[in-house]
Amino acid sequence: MNKVHAYILGAAGFPGGDLLRLLSGHPAVAAVRAVSTPHADMPFYKVHPHLRGLVEGKFDAAPDWRWLTDSPQPVVFSALEEEELAKQLPALEKQWASLGLSERIVLVDLSPDFRLDHPGRYAATHGRPHPAPELLERFVYGLPEWRRDKLKGAKRIAYPGCFATAVQLALLPVASTPGLGMIAASAVTGSSGSGALPGDVTHHPTRAHDFRAYKPLEHPQEAEIDVMLVAHKASRHRLTFVPHSAPLVRGIFATVQFEWPENGGGVSTNSLTETFRRYYATSPMVRVVEGTPRLASVVGSNFADISVATRGRTVAVMVALDNLVKGLAGQAVQSLNVALGLPEDTALRQAACFPC
């Protein structure tokens, strides 16, 4: 099993810490190295104190790609800032090719750079052209519950956004249902989603006792959800999405509401819950629960808990997940597992820490 050698780029942020934590216990991972230029030669635990005594190693100033040449399966996780990988990847591909690595490396990108598969959609969503549009079509969207078949054997994987993950998990079992019409999604997230460096929305004095909406009806991850809906021939659905910042550190709680179509047959909480259970029967990281999901039941884990409620034709689907695990590093590992033909939940069947 010990075949994978993994490099983590941009490993000093929260995603890098969770990747180091998860990969250190992965039975198929033989060795991990991590890059952070500002923290070069610094032990991992100096930046990620929870790894003290558990994950040994120091940050590299720059990657030494020769280290991967002898690996039976080289893997690169990129946790670089937005558009950094896209700008660097054409040159990296040339370096990897010169070492015989380009066709062997499995690259998993945790940024938004390659989530949208069309340059026009990227430009419309982000307000600027993509730095390397010719590479977009090479990436597989890394939501295993939707793209599992395409992820098998994939060499380039783009992790989904954390909000997009939650909303898509809420919609996948019903996305092909004709006539859902308006879909109203809202989601609450913790401060860790904004990164490790303090800012106006993450600095404790301005976050701890506040609750606010941000980027209402214009969040870029809405485009990812639209792509999924169109792929399910649901182009007539009208999606609205409003994210919120809450005084939490980790977690996303999403609520998605819509009207069940009049010609769609009867719907009830029990019947729709059974529909979701059937859909996710082969998805080990999704748990369909009764009542309302709780963030405290998933924080620190790669599980997404989902429940449904109905009143007449009105449907509400609720999803709770950890934005840094199922919404980020854990899902990256889950996608890698699928790509390598490993059990999907390898190294990920860890319970949340309750109470948290």
Side-chain angles (χ1 to χ4, degrees), residues 229-266:
L229 290 172
V230 171
H232 283 79
K233 304 187 185 305
S235 57
R236 293 187 179 181
H237 297 352
R238 300 183 305 280
L239 173 70
T240 63
F241 174 54
V242 180
H244 299 79
S245 296
L248 311 165
V249 175
R250 285 178 180 254
I252 285 178
F253 193 103
T255 302
V256 180
Q257 294 178 265
F258 50 86
E259 289 290 317
W260 197 253
E262 290 184 353
N263 59 355

PDB file of all heavy atoms in Angstrom, residues 229-266:
ATOM      1  N   LEU A 229     -26.254  21.690 -12.379  1.00  0.00           N
ATOM      2  CA  LEU A 229     -27.668  21.683 -12.742  1.00  0.00           C
ATOM      3  C   LEU A 229     -27.852  21.521 -14.251  1.00  0.00           C
ATOM      4  O   LEU A 229     -28.708  20.751 -14.702  1.00  0.00           O
ATOM      5  CB  LEU A 229     -28.335  22.969 -12.253  1.00  0.00           C
ATOM      6  CG  LEU A 229     -28.496  23.099 -10.732  1.00  0.00           C
ATOM      7  CD1 LEU A 229     -28.983  24.495 -10.358  1.00  0.00           C
ATOM      8  CD2 LEU A 229     -29.446  22.042 -10.183  1.00  0.00           C
ATOM      9  N   VAL A 230     -27.048  22.231 -15.030  1.00  0.00           N
ATOM     10  CA  VAL A 230     -27.136  22.108 -16.490  1.00  0.00           C
ATOM     11  C   VAL A 230     -26.789  20.685 -16.926  1.00  0.00           C
ATOM     12  O   VAL A 230     -27.424  20.122 -17.825  1.00  0.00           O
ATOM     13  CB  VAL A 230     -26.224  23.131 -17.174  1.00  0.00           C
ATOM     14  CG1 VAL A 230     -26.125  22.866 -18.669  1.00  0.00           C
ATOM     15  CG2 VAL A 230     -26.727  24.551 -16.922  1.00  0.00           C
ATOM     16  N   ALA A 231     -25.780  20.096 -16.288  1.00  0.00           N
ATOM     17  CA  ALA A 231     -25.395  18.724 -16.625  1.00  0.00           C
ATOM     18  C   ALA A 231     -26.523  17.736 -16.343  1.00  0.00           C
ATOM     19  O   ALA A 231     -26.589  16.673 -16.970  1.00  0.00           O
ATOM     20  CB  ALA A 231     -24.142  18.323 -15.851  1.00  0.00           C
ATOM     21  N   HIS A 232     -27.410  18.086 -15.404  1.00  0.00           N
ATOM     22  CA  HIS A 232     -28.566  17.233 -15.103  1.00  0.00           C
ATOM     23  C   HIS A 232     -29.804  17.679 -15.885  1.00  0.00           C
ATOM     24  O   HIS A 232     -30.929  17.331 -15.508  1.00  0.00           O
ATOM     25  CB  HIS A 232     -28.858  17.271 -13.598  1.00  0.00           C
ATOM     26  CG  HIS A 232     -27.914  16.440 -12.778  1.00  0.00           C
ATOM     27  ND1 HIS A 232     -26.652  16.872 -12.461  1.00  0.00           N
ATOM     28  CD2 HIS A 232     -28.036  15.211 -12.223  1.00  0.00           C
ATOM     29  CE1 HIS A 232     -26.039  15.942 -11.732  1.00  0.00           C
ATOM     30  NE2 HIS A 232     -26.851  14.929 -11.581  1.00  0.00           N
ATOM     31  N   LYS A 233     -29.566  18.464 -16.952  1.00  0.00           N
ATOM     32  CA  LYS A 233     -30.647  18.950 -17.816  1.00  0.00           C
ATOM     33  C   LYS A 233     -31.654  19.776 -17.023  1.00  0.00           C
ATOM     34  O   LYS A 233     -32.874  19.722 -17.246  1.00  0.00           O
ATOM     35  CB  LYS A 233     -31.343  17.789 -18.544  1.00  0.00           C
ATOM     36  CG  LYS A 233     -30.382  16.928 -19.357  1.00  0.00           C
ATOM     37  CD  LYS A 233     -31.119  15.901 -20.189  1.00  0.00           C
ATOM     38  CE  LYS A 233     -30.138  14.970 -20.896  1.00  0.00           C
ATOM     39  NZ  LYS A 233     -29.145  15.669 -21.711  1.00  0.00           N
ATOM     40  N   ALA A 234     -31.115  20.537 -16.078  1.00  0.00           N
ATOM     41  CA  ALA A 234     -31.953  21.368 -15.224  1.00  0.00           C
ATOM     42  C   ALA A 234     -31.708  22.846 -15.505  1.00  0.00           C
ATOM     43  O   ALA A 234     -31.729  23.677 -14.606  1.00  0.00           O
ATOM     44  CB  ALA A 234     -31.669  21.058 -13.749  1.00  0.00           C
ATOM     45  N   SER A 235     -31.464  23.170 -16.770  1.00  0.00           N
ATOM     46  CA  SER A 235     -31.099  24.535 -17.133  1.00  0.00           C
ATOM     47  C   SER A 235     -32.229  25.528 -16.867  1.00  0.00           C
ATOM     48  O   SER A 235     -31.991  26.738 -16.800  1.00  0.00           O
ATOM     49  CB  SER A 235     -30.680  24.594 -18.603  1.00  0.00           C
ATOM     50  OG  SER A 235     -31.718  24.114 -19.433  1.00  0.00           O
ATOM     51  N   ARG A 236     -33.456  25.056 -16.730  1.00  0.00           N
ATOM     52  CA  ARG A 236     -34.566  25.968 -16.457  1.00  0.00           C
ATOM     53  C   ARG A 236     -34.713  26.278 -14.964  1.00  0.00           C
ATOM     54  O   ARG A 236     -35.513  27.127 -14.598  1.00  0.00           O
ATOM     55  CB  ARG A 236     -35.872  25.382 -17.000  1.00  0.00           C
ATOM     56  CG  ARG A 236     -35.922  25.297 -18.527  1.00  0.00           C
ATOM     57  CD  ARG A 236     -37.289  24.869 -19.010  1.00  0.00           C
ATOM     58  NE  ARG A 236     -37.328  24.812 -20.469  1.00  0.00           N
ATOM     59  CZ  ARG A 236     -38.412  24.481 -21.163  1.00  0.00           C
ATOM     60  NH1 ARG A 236     -39.536  24.197 -20.532  1.00  0.00           N
ATOM     61  NH2 ARG A 236     -38.363  24.456 -22.480  1.00  0.00           N
ATOM     62  N   HIS A 237     -33.980  25.578 -14.146  1.00  0.00           N
ATOM     63  CA  HIS A 237     -34.009  25.910 -12.727  1.00  0.00           C
ATOM     64  C   HIS A 237     -33.362  27.281 -12.547  1.00  0.00           C
ATOM     65  O   HIS A 237     -32.412  27.641 -13.234  1.00  0.00           O
ATOM     66  CB  HIS A 237     -33.228  24.883 -11.909  1.00  0.00           C
ATOM     67  CG  HIS A 237     -33.811  23.492 -11.966  1.00  0.00           C
ATOM     68  ND1 HIS A 237     -35.010  23.198 -12.547  1.00  0.00           N
ATOM     69  CD2 HIS A 237     -33.340  22.312 -11.494  1.00  0.00           C
ATOM     70  CE1 HIS A 237     -35.263  21.900 -12.441  1.00  0.00           C
ATOM     71  NE2 HIS A 237     -34.260  21.338 -11.806  1.00  0.00           N
ATOM     72  N   ARG A 238     -33.852  28.054 -11.605  1.00  0.00           N
ATOM     73  CA  ARG A 238     -33.296  29.372 -11.312  1.00  0.00           C
ATOM     74  C   ARG A 238     -32.721  29.340  -9.904  1.00  0.00           C
ATOM     75  O   ARG A 238     -33.456  29.215  -8.921  1.00  0.00           O
ATOM     76  CB  ARG A 238     -34.373  30.453 -11.446  1.00  0.00           C
ATOM     77  CG  ARG A 238     -34.967  30.531 -12.843  1.00  0.00           C
ATOM     78  CD  ARG A 238     -35.977  31.659 -12.973  1.00  0.00           C
ATOM     79  NE  ARG A 238     -37.048  31.589 -11.978  1.00  0.00           N
ATOM     80  CZ  ARG A 238     -38.098  30.801 -12.049  1.00  0.00           C
ATOM     81  NH1 ARG A 238     -38.212  29.950 -13.064  1.00  0.00           N
ATOM     82  NH2 ARG A 238     -39.028  30.819 -11.118  1.00  0.00           N
ATOM     83  N   LEU A 239     -31.402  29.458  -9.809  1.00  0.00           N
ATOM     84  CA  LEU A 239     -30.701  29.341  -8.531  1.00  0.00           C
ATOM     85  C   LEU A 239     -30.385  30.714  -7.975  1.00  0.00           C
ATOM     86  O   LEU A 239     -29.895  31.596  -8.687  1.00  0.00           O
ATOM     87  CB  LEU A 239     -29.406  28.546  -8.728  1.00  0.00           C
ATOM     88  CG  LEU A 239     -28.469  28.469  -7.510  1.00  0.00           C
ATOM     89  CD1 LEU A 239     -29.082  27.599  -6.427  1.00  0.00           C
ATOM     90  CD2 LEU A 239     -27.101  27.935  -7.941  1.00  0.00           C
ATOM     91  N   THR A 240     -30.672  30.903  -6.702  1.00  0.00           N
ATOM     92  CA  THR A 240     -30.193  32.076  -5.977  1.00  0.00           C
ATOM     93  C   THR A 240     -29.401  31.587  -4.772  1.00  0.00           C
ATOM     94  O   THR A 240     -29.769  30.591  -4.137  1.00  0.00           O
ATOM     95  CB  THR A 240     -31.346  32.971  -5.496  1.00  0.00           C
ATOM     96  OG1 THR A 240     -32.167  32.252  -4.562  1.00  0.00           O
ATOM     97  CG2 THR A 240     -32.198  33.425  -6.661  1.00  0.00           C
ATOM     98  N   PHE A 241     -28.307  32.279  -4.471  1.00  0.00           N
ATOM     99  CA  PHE A 241     -27.436  31.824  -3.394  1.00  0.00           C
ATOM    100  C   PHE A 241     -26.951  33.020  -2.572  1.00  0.00           C
ATOM    101  O   PHE A 241     -26.433  33.990  -3.129  1.00  0.00           O
ATOM    102  CB  PHE A 241     -26.238  31.060  -3.958  1.00  0.00           C
ATOM    103  CG  PHE A 241     -25.217  30.672  -2.913  1.00  0.00           C
ATOM    104  CD1 PHE A 241     -25.600  29.962  -1.778  1.00  0.00           C
ATOM    105  CD2 PHE A 241     -23.890  31.025  -3.047  1.00  0.00           C
ATOM    106  CE1 PHE A 241     -24.676  29.612  -0.811  1.00  0.00           C
ATOM    107  CE2 PHE A 241     -22.954  30.683  -2.091  1.00  0.00           C
ATOM    108  CZ  PHE A 241     -23.357  29.972  -0.970  1.00  0.00           C
ATOM    109  N   VAL A 242     -27.116  32.923  -1.260  1.00  0.00           N
ATOM    110  CA  VAL A 242     -26.658  33.973  -0.342  1.00  0.00           C
ATOM    111  C   VAL A 242     -25.830  33.316   0.763  1.00  0.00           C
ATOM    112  O   VAL A 242     -26.368  32.560   1.571  1.00  0.00           O
ATOM    113  CB  VAL A 242     -27.833  34.747   0.272  1.00  0.00           C
ATOM    114  CG1 VAL A 242     -27.311  35.841   1.213  1.00  0.00           C
ATOM    115  CG2 VAL A 242     -28.712  35.356  -0.804  1.00  0.00           C
ATOM    116  N   PRO A 243     -24.516  33.570   0.802  1.00  0.00           N
ATOM    117  CA  PRO A 243     -23.681  33.048   1.889  1.00  0.00           C
ATOM    118  C   PRO A 243     -23.650  34.022   3.076  1.00  0.00           C
ATOM    119  O   PRO A 243     -23.889  35.217   2.915  1.00  0.00           O
ATOM    120  CB  PRO A 243     -22.299  32.943   1.235  1.00  0.00           C
ATOM    121  CG  PRO A 243     -22.305  34.020   0.195  1.00  0.00           C
ATOM    122  CD  PRO A 243     -23.729  34.211  -0.257  1.00  0.00           C
ATOM    123  N   HIS A 244     -23.350  33.472   4.252  1.00  0.00           N
ATOM    124  CA  HIS A 244     -23.298  34.274   5.475  1.00  0.00           C
ATOM    125  C   HIS A 244     -22.045  33.931   6.274  1.00  0.00           C
ATOM    126  O   HIS A 244     -21.613  32.768   6.297  1.00  0.00           O
ATOM    127  CB  HIS A 244     -24.522  34.004   6.361  1.00  0.00           C
ATOM    128  CG  HIS A 244     -25.831  34.343   5.724  1.00  0.00           C
ATOM    129  ND1 HIS A 244     -26.438  33.520   4.805  1.00  0.00           N
ATOM    130  CD2 HIS A 244     -26.645  35.416   5.879  1.00  0.00           C
ATOM    131  CE1 HIS A 244     -27.589  34.076   4.423  1.00  0.00           C
ATOM    132  NE2 HIS A 244     -27.730  35.226   5.058  1.00  0.00           N
ATOM    133  N   SER A 245     -21.500  34.939   6.936  1.00  0.00           N
ATOM    134  CA  SER A 245     -20.401  34.748   7.887  1.00  0.00           C
ATOM    135  C   SER A 245     -20.975  34.671   9.293  1.00  0.00           C
ATOM    136  O   SER A 245     -21.782  35.517   9.681  1.00  0.00           O
ATOM    137  CB  SER A 245     -19.414  35.916   7.817  1.00  0.00           C
ATOM    138  OG  SER A 245     -18.787  35.970   6.558  1.00  0.00           O
ATOM    139  N   ALA A 246     -20.541  33.666  10.036  1.00  0.00           N
ATOM    140  CA  ALA A 246     -21.037  33.465  11.396  1.00  0.00           C
ATOM    141  C   ALA A 246     -19.866  33.413  12.373  1.00  0.00           C
ATOM    142  O   ALA A 246     -18.729  33.178  11.969  1.00  0.00           O
ATOM    143  CB  ALA A 246     -21.847  32.168  11.474  1.00  0.00           C
ATOM    144  N   PRO A 247     -20.115  33.614  13.658  1.00  0.00           N
ATOM    145  CA  PRO A 247     -19.045  33.540  14.664  1.00  0.00           C
ATOM    146  C   PRO A 247     -18.661  32.103  14.977  1.00  0.00           C
ATOM    147  O   PRO A 247     -18.806  31.612  16.092  1.00  0.00           O
ATOM    148  CB  PRO A 247     -19.652  34.254  15.871  1.00  0.00           C
ATOM    149  CG  PRO A 247     -21.114  34.071  15.722  1.00  0.00           C
ATOM    150  CD  PRO A 247     -21.384  34.068  14.250  1.00  0.00           C
ATOM    151  N   LEU A 248     -18.207  31.397  13.938  1.00  0.00           N
ATOM    152  CA  LEU A 248     -17.715  30.033  14.032  1.00  0.00           C
ATOM    153  C   LEU A 248     -16.286  30.022  13.507  1.00  0.00           C
ATOM    154  O   LEU A 248     -15.875  30.927  12.803  1.00  0.00           O
ATOM    155  CB  LEU A 248     -18.546  29.077  13.172  1.00  0.00           C
ATOM    156  CG  LEU A 248     -20.058  29.113  13.276  1.00  0.00           C
ATOM    157  CD1 LEU A 248     -20.674  28.372  12.102  1.00  0.00           C
ATOM    158  CD2 LEU A 248     -20.491  28.492  14.590  1.00  0.00           C
ATOM    159  N   VAL A 249     -15.532  28.977  13.817  1.00  0.00           N
ATOM    160  CA  VAL A 249     -14.223  28.785  13.192  1.00  0.00           C
ATOM    161  C   VAL A 249     -14.359  27.841  12.007  1.00  0.00           C
ATOM    162  O   VAL A 249     -13.979  28.159  10.888  1.00  0.00           O
ATOM    163  CB  VAL A 249     -13.198  28.251  14.209  1.00  0.00           C
ATOM    164  CG1 VAL A 249     -11.876  27.942  13.511  1.00  0.00           C
ATOM    165  CG2 VAL A 249     -12.973  29.278  15.313  1.00  0.00           C
ATOM    166  N   ARG A 250     -14.913  26.660  12.244  1.00  0.00           N
ATOM    167  CA  ARG A 250     -15.103  25.674  11.182  1.00  0.00           C
ATOM    168  C   ARG A 250     -16.582  25.420  10.964  1.00  0.00           C
ATOM    169  O   ARG A 250     -17.392  25.553  11.879  1.00  0.00           O
ATOM    170  CB  ARG A 250     -14.456  24.336  11.565  1.00  0.00           C
ATOM    171  CG  ARG A 250     -12.937  24.274  11.491  1.00  0.00           C
ATOM    172  CD  ARG A 250     -12.485  22.896  11.946  1.00  0.00           C
ATOM    173  NE  ARG A 250     -11.034  22.734  11.914  1.00  0.00           N
ATOM    174  CZ  ARG A 250     -10.386  22.020  10.998  1.00  0.00           C
ATOM    175  NH1 ARG A 250     -11.050  21.404  10.056  1.00  0.00           N
ATOM    176  NH2 ARG A 250      -9.072  21.903  11.052  1.00  0.00           N
ATOM    177  N   GLY A 251     -16.887  25.001   9.746  1.00  0.00           N
ATOM    178  CA  GLY A 251     -18.221  24.481   9.477  1.00  0.00           C
ATOM    179  C   GLY A 251     -18.993  25.270   8.456  1.00  0.00           C
ATOM    180  O   GLY A 251     -18.801  26.482   8.287  1.00  0.00           O
ATOM    181  N   ILE A 252     -19.860  24.557   7.741  1.00  0.00           N
ATOM    182  CA  ILE A 252     -20.851  25.149   6.850  1.00  0.00           C
ATOM    183  C   ILE A 252     -22.189  24.486   7.125  1.00  0.00           C
ATOM    184  O   ILE A 252     -22.273  23.255   7.213  1.00  0.00           O
ATOM    185  CB  ILE A 252     -20.477  24.965   5.364  1.00  0.00           C
ATOM    186  CG1 ILE A 252     -19.346  25.912   4.972  1.00  0.00           C
ATOM    187  CG2 ILE A 252     -21.682  25.200   4.452  1.00  0.00           C
ATOM    188  CD1 ILE A 252     -18.902  25.757   3.538  1.00  0.00           C
ATOM    189  N   PHE A 253     -23.212  25.311   7.277  1.00  0.00           N
ATOM    190  CA  PHE A 253     -24.579  24.793   7.364  1.00  0.00           C
ATOM    191  C   PHE A 253     -25.356  25.450   6.233  1.00  0.00           C
ATOM    192  O   PHE A 253     -25.514  26.674   6.203  1.00  0.00           O
ATOM    193  CB  PHE A 253     -25.225  25.108   8.702  1.00  0.00           C
ATOM    194  CG  PHE A 253     -26.502  24.344   8.945  1.00  0.00           C
ATOM    195  CD1 PHE A 253     -26.510  23.240   9.787  1.00  0.00           C
ATOM    196  CD2 PHE A 253     -27.689  24.696   8.312  1.00  0.00           C
ATOM    197  CE1 PHE A 253     -27.676  22.512   9.992  1.00  0.00           C
ATOM    198  CE2 PHE A 253     -28.854  23.981   8.505  1.00  0.00           C
ATOM    199  CZ  PHE A 253     -28.854  22.885   9.353  1.00  0.00           C
ATOM    200  N   ALA A 254     -25.818  24.635   5.294  1.00  0.00           N
ATOM    201  CA  ALA A 254     -26.533  25.136   4.122  1.00  0.00           C
ATOM    202  C   ALA A 254     -27.991  24.682   4.170  1.00  0.00           C
ATOM    203  O   ALA A 254     -28.291  23.554   4.577  1.00  0.00           O
ATOM    204  CB  ALA A 254     -25.878  24.639   2.832  1.00  0.00           C
ATOM    205  N   THR A 255     -28.873  25.574   3.743  1.00  0.00           N
ATOM    206  CA  THR A 255     -30.293  25.253   3.598  1.00  0.00           C
ATOM    207  C   THR A 255     -30.705  25.589   2.170  1.00  0.00           C
ATOM    208  O   THR A 255     -30.486  26.710   1.706  1.00  0.00           O
ATOM    209  CB  THR A 255     -31.155  26.054   4.584  1.00  0.00           C
ATOM    210  OG1 THR A 255     -30.723  25.787   5.922  1.00  0.00           O
ATOM    211  CG2 THR A 255     -32.620  25.659   4.450  1.00  0.00           C
ATOM    212  N   VAL A 256     -31.280  24.599   1.486  1.00  0.00           N
ATOM    213  CA  VAL A 256     -31.694  24.766   0.092  1.00  0.00           C
ATOM    214  C   VAL A 256     -33.196  24.509   0.030  1.00  0.00           C
ATOM    215  O   VAL A 256     -33.674  23.455   0.455  1.00  0.00           O
ATOM    216  CB  VAL A 256     -30.938  23.792  -0.835  1.00  0.00           C
ATOM    217  CG1 VAL A 256     -31.384  23.983  -2.280  1.00  0.00           C
ATOM    218  CG2 VAL A 256     -29.438  24.003  -0.701  1.00  0.00           C
ATOM    219  N   GLN A 257     -33.954  25.484  -0.502  1.00  0.00           N
ATOM    220  CA  GLN A 257     -35.407  25.376  -0.547  1.00  0.00           C
ATOM    221  C   GLN A 257     -35.919  25.493  -1.982  1.00  0.00           C
ATOM    222  O   GLN A 257     -35.360  26.242  -2.796  1.00  0.00           O
ATOM    223  CB  GLN A 257     -36.049  26.482   0.301  1.00  0.00           C
ATOM    224  CG  GLN A 257     -35.759  26.360   1.791  1.00  0.00           C
ATOM    225  CD  GLN A 257     -36.360  27.498   2.580  1.00  0.00           C
ATOM    226  OE1 GLN A 257     -35.701  28.496   2.872  1.00  0.00           O
ATOM    227  NE2 GLN A 257     -37.623  27.355   2.931  1.00  0.00           N
ATOM    228  N   PHE A 258     -36.980  24.734  -2.260  1.00  0.00           N
ATOM    229  CA  PHE A 258     -37.624  24.785  -3.575  1.00  0.00           C
ATOM    230  C   PHE A 258     -39.027  24.218  -3.454  1.00  0.00           C
ATOM    231  O   PHE A 258     -39.381  23.604  -2.431  1.00  0.00           O
ATOM    232  CB  PHE A 258     -36.813  24.008  -4.622  1.00  0.00           C
ATOM    233  CG  PHE A 258     -36.434  22.607  -4.206  1.00  0.00           C
ATOM    234  CD1 PHE A 258     -37.296  21.543  -4.415  1.00  0.00           C
ATOM    235  CD2 PHE A 258     -35.209  22.368  -3.592  1.00  0.00           C
ATOM    236  CE1 PHE A 258     -36.947  20.259  -4.024  1.00  0.00           C
ATOM    237  CE2 PHE A 258     -34.849  21.085  -3.197  1.00  0.00           C
ATOM    238  CZ  PHE A 258     -35.715  20.029  -3.419  1.00  0.00           C
ATOM    239  N   GLU A 259     -39.819  24.440  -4.487  1.00  0.00           N
ATOM    240  CA  GLU A 259     -41.177  23.897  -4.537  1.00  0.00           C
ATOM    241  C   GLU A 259     -41.177  22.618  -5.361  1.00  0.00           C
ATOM    242  O   GLU A 259     -40.663  22.600  -6.492  1.00  0.00           O
ATOM    243  CB  GLU A 259     -42.145  24.907  -5.159  1.00  0.00           C
ATOM    244  CG  GLU A 259     -42.442  26.111  -4.292  1.00  0.00           C
ATOM    245  CD  GLU A 259     -43.282  25.760  -3.070  1.00  0.00           C
ATOM    246  OE1 GLU A 259     -44.250  24.979  -3.217  1.00  0.00           O
ATOM    247  OE2 GLU A 259     -42.949  26.248  -1.976  1.00  0.00           O
ATOM    248  N   TRP A 260     -41.721  21.553  -4.799  1.00  0.00           N
ATOM    249  CA  TRP A 260     -41.859  20.313  -5.566  1.00  0.00           C
ATOM    250  C   TRP A 260     -42.885  20.524  -6.667  1.00  0.00           C
ATOM    251  O   TRP A 260     -43.939  21.117  -6.432  1.00  0.00           O
ATOM    252  CB  TRP A 260     -42.298  19.180  -4.649  1.00  0.00           C
ATOM    253  CG  TRP A 260     -42.081  17.810  -5.242  1.00  0.00           C
ATOM    254  CD1 TRP A 260     -43.032  16.971  -5.721  1.00  0.00           C
ATOM    255  CD2 TRP A 260     -40.834  17.152  -5.420  1.00  0.00           C
ATOM    256  NE1 TRP A 260     -42.464  15.815  -6.188  1.00  0.00           N
ATOM    257  CE2 TRP A 260     -41.098  15.900  -6.016  1.00  0.00           C
ATOM    258  CE3 TRP A 260     -39.517  17.490  -5.133  1.00  0.00           C
ATOM    259  CZ2 TRP A 260     -40.104  14.993  -6.337  1.00  0.00           C
ATOM    260  CZ3 TRP A 260     -38.518  16.595  -5.451  1.00  0.00           C
ATOM    261  CH2 TRP A 260     -38.812  15.365  -6.038  1.00  0.00           C
ATOM    262  N   PRO A 261     -42.580  20.089  -7.901  1.00  0.00           N
ATOM    263  CA  PRO A 261     -43.498  20.369  -9.012  1.00  0.00           C
ATOM    264  C   PRO A 261     -44.858  19.699  -8.821  1.00  0.00           C
ATOM    265  O   PRO A 261     -44.952  18.599  -8.265  1.00  0.00           O
ATOM    266  CB  PRO A 261     -42.759  19.805 -10.225  1.00  0.00           C
ATOM    267  CG  PRO A 261     -41.781  18.825  -9.676  1.00  0.00           C
ATOM    268  CD  PRO A 261     -41.378  19.350  -8.335  1.00  0.00           C
ATOM    269  N   GLU A 262     -45.897  20.379  -9.305  1.00  0.00           N
ATOM    270  CA  GLU A 262     -47.251  19.849  -9.166  1.00  0.00           C
ATOM    271  C   GLU A 262     -47.420  18.521  -9.875  1.00  0.00           C
ATOM    272  O   GLU A 262     -48.149  17.646  -9.421  1.00  0.00           O
ATOM    273  CB  GLU A 262     -48.262  20.858  -9.724  1.00  0.00           C
ATOM    274  CG  GLU A 262     -48.400  22.104  -8.871  1.00  0.00           C
ATOM    275  CD  GLU A 262     -49.481  23.020  -9.411  1.00  0.00           C
ATOM    276  OE1 GLU A 262     -50.010  22.737 -10.521  1.00  0.00           O
ATOM    277  OE2 GLU A 262     -49.783  24.012  -8.743  1.00  0.00           O
ATOM    278  N   ASN A 263     -46.722  18.355 -11.012  1.00  0.00           N
ATOM    279  CA  ASN A 263     -46.840  17.110 -11.771  1.00  0.00           C
ATOM    280  C   ASN A 263     -45.753  16.105 -11.395  1.00  0.00           C
ATOM    281  O   ASN A 263     -45.519  15.144 -12.108  1.00  0.00           O
ATOM    282  CB  ASN A 263     -46.782  17.382 -13.277  1.00  0.00           C
ATOM    283  CG  ASN A 263     -45.477  18.064 -13.691  1.00  0.00           C
ATOM    284  OD1 ASN A 263     -44.659  18.410 -12.838  1.00  0.00           O
ATOM    285  ND2 ASN A 263     -45.290  18.251 -14.991  1.00  0.00           N
ATOM    286  N   GLY A 264     -45.074  16.346 -10.273  1.00  0.00           N
ATOM    287  CA  GLY A 264     -43.995  15.455  -9.854  1.00  0.00           C
ATOM    288  C   GLY A 264     -44.440  14.355  -8.915  1.00  0.00           C
ATOM    289  O   GLY A 264     -43.606  13.637  -8.349  1.00  0.00           O
ATOM    290  N   GLY A 265     -45.763  14.208  -8.736  1.00  0.00           N
ATOM    291  CA  GLY A 265     -46.241  13.212  -7.786  1.00  0.00           C
ATOM    292  C   GLY A 265     -46.174  13.763  -6.367  1.00  0.00           C
ATOM    293  O   GLY A 265     -45.611  14.833  -6.117  1.00  0.00           O
ATOM    294  N   GLY A 266     -46.746  13.039  -5.440  1.00  0.00           N
ATOM    295  CA  GLY A 266     -46.738  13.495  -4.057  1.00  0.00           C
ATOM    296  C   GLY A 266     -45.338  13.448  -3.458  1.00  0.00           C
ATOM    297  O   GLY A 266     -44.481  12.678  -3.889  1.00  0.00           O
TER     298      GLY A 266
END
